[in-house]
Amino acid sequence: MLVCEYKPGLEGIPAAQSAISYVDGLQGLLEYRGIRIEELAEKSTFLETSYLLIWGKLPTKEELHDFEQEIYSHRRIKYRIRDMMKSFPESGHPMDALQASAAALGLFYSRRDLHNPVYIRDAVVRLLATIPTMVAAFQLMRKGNDPIRPNDNLDYSANFLYMLNEKEPDPLASKIMDVCLILHAEHTMNASTFSARVTASTLTDPYAVVASAVGTLGGPLHGGANEEVIQMLEEIGSVENVRPYIDTCLERKSKIMGFGHRVYKVKDPRATILQDLSEQLFAKFGSDKYYDIALEMERVVEEKLAHKGIYPNVDFYSGLLYRKLGIPTDIFTPIFAIARVAGWLAHWKEQLAENRIFRPTQVYNGQHEVKYSPIEERE
Ligand code: CMC
């Protein structure tokens, strides 16, 4: 039997063949289905990008119109889901609420007709349509308010901000939210996508696939980092405190949140786009002292850690943007999930097309031939 070298974190080991996205970590290049992220951020919309990721091609005008209309007409959630969410503890994390609600959605559609294109299309539409509604519903219900209905006159991102903040958003805010969703929609074989593919490979339903990926995304080393970035900027408090803060992190060998990436060894191209969007937002709605702190952090980290290839990642500027859009800190990672549903569904579909159940091996480093000791003799 072939014995492979054990690689912690499976670094560098391909877990699938995929045509969905491509990253060149040395050049800072990210493509979805071969199209550069900068071009999609400038010209596309989140729903068009989702279509591209999931069906592998840009939609025609008619295909996009039909896809959008199907999604818009499925944005409401069932009252049983809403009632279930009402009983969640208010102090619970919105990612946990989202994971439970996405899994619960599967209770209504547990028919696993995975090779029927109609089943696949319905699942894609339902998940993309209802995940933002669930995030917004939990946010309002934990404040003691009833969730508000989706607004048929608003597009995907504008409607999400409307349901979350209970007022129609400024067009620039909606546009920026839509670009943020495009930037977070897909990113090759990261932890949550791997989780989605492993779950998909058992031929369970897509709601379980998305629920398991949401659970994986929530950790602070993955999607949860954007929350921690804001907490870190608040703790630093002023531009003068940046250098001592970074020195202390380096002395203690603790990670600086929003920096570093397993694949990128230069600045993450998404961080560059997000930084540009932050500037547009601050120019329109007023500056933010945390942006100045962030810029100083980028300078100091580059000075001290560029030799290790540590630069800002996608989570560094996204939190600043969401904060300026009035979004509570613990909703940042659910927004990442709203976007990444598109990528997870693309991987679900790709996994099904050539499925083999994931069953890796392990390197056993435990004992053998250990005698069972009676309970009264144990220490
Ligand atoms: N701050 C300080 N040093 C760092 C950082 C950081 N953020 N990231 C990596 N390093 C150092 C690390 O100490 C190590 O140094 P040495 O070789 O001297 O021991 C070297 O760089 C390699 O680090 P690693 O931990 O082996 O790298 P990794 O590929 O396992 O980890 C990472 C990648 C993203 C988990 C890590 O950079 C990190 O924890 N960053 C902070 C959390 C964060 O921002 N996460 C969001 C990631 S991007 C979005 C996403 O994937 O969801």
Coordinates of all heavy atoms in Angstrom, one line a residue, residues 146-176:
D146 N -40.7 41.7 15.0 CA -41.1 40.7 14.0 C -40.2 40.9 12.7 O -39.8 42.0 12.4 CB -42.5 40.9 13.5 CG -43.5 40.0 14.3 OD1 -43.0 38.9 14.7 OD2 -44.6 40.4 14.6
P147 N -39.8 39.8 12.0 CA -39.1 40.0 10.8 C -39.9 40.7 9.8 O -41.2 40.6 9.8 CB -38.8 38.5 10.3 CG -39.6 37.6 11.1 CD -40.1 38.4 12.3
I148 N -39.3 41.4 8.9 CA -40.1 42.1 7.8 C -40.0 41.3 6.5 O -39.1 40.6 6.3 CB -39.7 43.6 7.6 CG1 -38.3 43.8 7.4 CG2 -40.2 44.4 8.8 CD1 -37.9 45.2 7.1
R149 N -41.1 41.4 5.8 CA -41.2 40.7 4.5 C -40.2 41.2 3.5 O -40.0 42.5 3.4 CB -42.6 40.9 3.9 CG -43.6 40.0 4.5 CD -45.0 40.4 4.1 NE -45.9 39.4 4.5 CZ -46.5 38.6 3.6 NH1 -46.3 38.7 2.3 NH2 -47.3 37.6 4.0
P150 N -39.7 40.4 2.6 CA -38.9 40.9 1.5 C -39.7 41.9 0.7 O -40.9 41.8 0.6 CB -38.6 39.6 0.7 CG -38.9 38.5 1.6 CD -39.9 38.9 2.6
N151 N -38.9 42.9 0.1 CA -39.6 43.9 -0.7 C -39.4 43.6 -2.2 O -38.2 43.6 -2.7 CB -38.9 45.2 -0.3 CG -39.5 46.4 -1.1 OD1 -40.1 46.3 -2.1 ND2 -39.4 47.6 -0.5
D152 N -40.5 43.3 -2.8 CA -40.5 42.8 -4.2 C -39.8 43.8 -5.2 O -39.4 43.5 -6.3 CB -41.9 42.5 -4.7 CG -42.4 41.2 -4.1 OD1 -41.6 40.5 -3.5 OD2 -43.6 41.0 -4.0
N153 N -39.8 45.1 -4.7 CA -39.2 46.1 -5.6 C -37.7 46.3 -5.5 O -37.1 47.1 -6.2 CB -39.8 47.5 -5.3 CG -41.3 47.5 -5.5 OD1 -41.8 46.9 -6.5 ND2 -42.0 48.1 -4.6
L154 N -37.1 45.5 -4.6 CA -35.7 45.7 -4.4 C -34.9 44.5 -4.9 O -35.4 43.3 -4.8 CB -35.4 45.9 -2.9 CG -36.0 47.1 -2.3 CD1 -35.7 47.2 -0.8 CD2 -35.4 48.4 -2.9
D155 N -33.7 44.7 -5.4 CA -32.9 43.6 -5.9 C -32.3 42.9 -4.7 O -32.5 43.2 -3.5 CB -31.8 44.1 -6.9 CG -30.7 45.0 -6.2 OD1 -30.6 44.9 -5.0 OD2 -30.1 45.7 -6.9
Y156 N -31.5 41.9 -5.0 CA -31.0 40.9 -4.0 C -30.3 41.6 -2.8 O -30.7 41.4 -1.6 CB -30.0 40.0 -4.6 CG -29.6 38.7 -3.8 CD1 -30.5 37.6 -3.8 CD2 -28.5 38.7 -3.1 CE1 -30.2 36.5 -3.0 CE2 -28.1 37.6 -2.4 CZ -29.0 36.5 -2.3 OH -28.6 35.4 -1.6
S157 N -29.3 42.4 -3.1 CA -28.5 43.0 -2.0 C -29.3 44.2 -1.3 O -29.2 44.3 -0.1 CB -27.2 43.5 -2.5 OG -26.5 42.4 -3.0
A158 N -30.0 45.0 -2.1 CA -30.8 46.1 -1.5 C -31.8 45.5 -0.6 O -32.1 46.0 0.5 CB -31.4 46.9 -2.6
N159 N -32.5 44.4 -1.0 CA -33.5 43.8 -0.2 C -32.9 43.2 1.1 O -33.5 43.3 2.2 CB -34.2 42.7 -0.9 CG -35.2 42.0 -0.1 OD1 -36.2 42.6 0.4 ND2 -35.0 40.7 0.1
F160 N -31.7 42.7 1.0 CA -31.1 42.1 2.3 C -30.9 43.3 3.3 O -31.2 43.2 4.4 CB -29.8 41.4 1.9 CG -29.0 41.1 3.2 CD1 -29.5 40.2 4.1 CD2 -27.8 41.6 3.4 CE1 -28.8 39.9 5.3 CE2 -27.0 41.4 4.6 CZ -27.6 40.5 5.5
L161 N -30.3 44.4 2.8 CA -30.1 45.5 3.7 C -31.4 46.1 4.3 O -31.5 46.5 5.4 CB -29.3 46.6 3.0 CG -27.8 46.3 2.7 CD1 -27.1 47.4 1.9 CD2 -27.0 46.1 4.0
Y162 N -32.4 46.1 3.4 CA -33.7 46.5 3.8 C -34.3 45.7 4.9 O -34.8 46.1 6.0 CB -34.6 46.6 2.6 CG -36.1 46.6 2.9 CD1 -36.7 47.8 3.3 CD2 -36.9 45.5 2.8 CE1 -38.1 47.9 3.6 CE2 -38.3 45.6 3.1 CZ -38.8 46.7 3.5 OH -40.2 46.8 3.8
M163 N -34.2 44.3 4.8 CA -34.7 43.4 5.8 C -33.9 43.5 7.1 O -34.5 43.2 8.1 CB -34.7 42.0 5.2 CG -35.7 41.7 4.1 SD -35.8 39.9 3.7 CE -34.1 39.6 3.2
L164 N -32.6 43.8 7.0 CA -31.8 43.8 8.1 C -31.9 45.1 8.9 O -32.0 45.1 10.2 CB -30.3 43.7 7.6 CG -29.2 43.4 8.7 CD1 -29.4 42.0 9.2 CD2 -27.9 43.5 8.0
N165 N -32.0 46.2 8.2 CA -32.0 47.5 8.9 C -33.3 48.2 8.9 O -33.5 49.3 9.4 CB -31.0 48.5 8.2 CG -29.6 48.0 8.3 OD1 -29.2 47.4 9.2 ND2 -28.7 48.3 7.3
E166 N -34.4 47.5 8.4 CA -35.7 48.0 8.4 C -35.9 49.4 7.7 O -36.8 50.1 8.0 CB -36.3 48.1 9.8 CG -36.3 46.8 10.5 CD -36.8 46.9 11.9 OE1 -36.0 47.2 12.8 OE2 -38.0 46.7 12.2
K167 N -35.0 49.7 6.7 CA -35.2 50.8 5.9 C -34.5 50.6 4.5 O -33.5 49.9 4.5 CB -34.8 52.1 6.6 CG -33.3 52.2 6.9 CD -33.0 53.6 7.4 CE -31.6 53.9 7.5 NZ -30.8 53.5 8.6
E168 N -35.1 51.3 3.5 CA -34.5 51.1 2.2 C -33.1 51.7 2.1 O -32.9 52.8 2.6 CB -35.4 51.8 1.1 CG -36.6 50.9 0.8 CD -37.3 51.3 -0.5 OE1 -36.6 51.7 -1.4 OE2 -38.5 51.1 -0.6
P169 N -32.1 51.0 1.6 CA -30.7 51.5 1.7 C -30.4 52.5 0.6 O -31.1 52.5 -0.4 CB -29.9 50.2 1.5 CG -30.8 49.3 0.7 CD -32.2 49.6 1.0
D170 N -29.4 53.2 0.8 CA -28.8 54.1 -0.2 C -28.3 53.3 -1.3 O -27.7 52.2 -1.1 CB -27.6 54.9 0.5 CG -26.9 55.8 -0.4 OD1 -26.0 55.3 -1.1 OD2 -27.3 57.0 -0.5
P171 N -28.5 53.7 -2.6 CA -28.0 52.9 -3.7 C -26.5 52.6 -3.7 O -26.1 51.5 -4.0 CB -28.3 53.8 -4.9 CG -29.3 54.8 -4.5 CD -29.2 55.0 -3.0
L172 N -25.7 53.5 -3.1 CA -24.2 53.2 -3.1 C -24.0 52.0 -2.0 O -23.2 51.1 -2.3 CB -23.4 54.4 -2.7 CG -21.9 54.1 -2.5 CD1 -21.2 53.7 -3.9 CD2 -21.1 55.3 -1.9
A173 N -24.8 52.1 -0.9 CA -24.6 51.0 0.1 C -25.0 49.7 -0.5 O -24.4 48.6 -0.3 CB -25.5 51.3 1.3
S174 N -26.1 49.6 -1.3 CA -26.6 48.4 -1.9 C -25.5 47.9 -2.9 O -25.3 46.7 -3.0 CB -27.9 48.5 -2.7 OG -28.8 49.2 -1.9
K175 N -25.0 48.8 -3.7 CA -24.0 48.4 -4.7 C -22.8 47.8 -4.0 O -22.3 46.8 -4.5 CB -23.7 49.7 -5.6 CG -22.5 49.5 -6.5 CD -22.8 48.6 -7.7 CE -21.6 48.2 -8.5 NZ -21.7 47.0 -9.2
I176 N -22.3 48.5 -3.0 CA -21.2 48.0 -2.2 C -21.4 46.6 -1.6 O -20.6 45.7 -1.7 CB -20.7 49.0 -1.2 CG1 -20.0 50.2 -2.0 CG2 -19.8 48.4 -0.2 CD1 -19.5 51.3 -1.1

